[in-house]
Amino acid sequence: MKPFVGILVFGALLATVQGVLGNHLPQAFCPDLGMLLVLALGLIWRSAAAGLLLAVLLGYLSDFLSGSLMGQLALLRILVFGAARAVSRQLSLLGSLPLALFSIVITAVHGVALLLLTGLFSLEVPFETPEWMALFPQMVLNAIFVTPMVAAVRFIAAKLGDDESGRRALPITAKGFRP
């Protein structure tokens, strides 16, 4: 329970920091800290249910603070969590380079989905050049910040209780093994 609350508080702090950064820097030059936090949760959190609940709560918090459509970022955070969880089960994302490449792909998909959802509900053309161009610097920034974010989530989960801090151990059976 303590790691859950700790990550939730950390997510609220990150949403506040991102709001302050958004007031002083152009949107293209602000990393999406909330999305990176949910991506890190998908990579290392053991319990799928608790991780999914965290992703939804962090998404609604981002919706509330950003003024976007309620539920829009929550839906996208669910998709980011699910994609990170599924990919981490199939591929090794232990190094900085695989994490950076994965975050670039997730940021691009997240950005396109955000533009499509916004265009769907606002009845505007979502594919304007300035909005697309804002994705490229953000993909680079997210690639830079993803490794420290994963390390921060591991640290918080480990310090507040080792319940959720690592991956599930692989079951190894000794059937048929002879020394």
Side-chain angles (χ1 to χ4, degrees):
M1 183 65 165
K2 285 192 302 185
F4 184 90
V5 173
I7 294 294
L8 194 58
V9 168
F10 182 61
L13 289 173
L14 287 178
T16 304
V17 167
Q18 185 158 355
V20 170
L21 285 176
N23 287 334
H24 299 294
L25 296 173
Q27 180 65 32
F29 297 106
C30 294
D32 193 348
L33 299 174
M35 195 258 320
L36 289 176
L37 177 61
V38 171
L39 187 140
L41 286 173
L43 294 176
I44 67 169
W45 206 260
R46 275 189 186 175
S47 169
L52 196 59
L53 181 60
L54 269 170
V56 169
L57 291 174
L58 292 169
Y60 275 122
L61 179 67
S62 295
D63 281 330
F64 180 73
L65 293 177
S66 70
S68 65
L69 295 169
M70 275 315 252
Q72 181 180 17
L73 291 174
L75 173 65
L76 292 175
R77 298 298 194 250
I78 291 170
L79 297 176
V80 167
F81 178 80
R85 191 160 174 88
V87 168
S88 73
R89 300 287 182 227
Q90 300 298 319
L91 301 174
S92 174
L93 297 174
L94 296 177
S96 295
L97 183 61
L99 273 176
L101 292 175
F102 181 65
S103 72
I104 287 172
V105 171
I106 288 291
T107 302
V109 171
H110 184 270
V112 169
L114 186 63
L115 289 173
L116 289 173
L117 279 174
T118 302
L120 178 69
F121 289 107
S122 66
L123 300 176
E124 294 178 7
V125 177
F127 301 110
E128 295 178 13
T129 304
E131 292 176 354
W132 283 98
M133 297 307 286
L135 283 177
F136 295 110
Q138 194 172 47
M139 288 189 304
V140 172
L141 283 171
N142 283 352
I144 293 168
F145 283 96
V146 70
T147 302
M149 183 65 72
V150 170
V153 170
R154 282 182 201 246
F155 177 78
I156 291 170
K159 283 296 180 186
L160 294 178
D162 208 288
D163 298 340
E164 305 292 339
S165 63
R167 290 188 172 270
R168 205 172 293 151
L170 292 175
I172 299 174
T173 60
K175 188 175 185 178
F177 178 74
R178 294 175 195 222

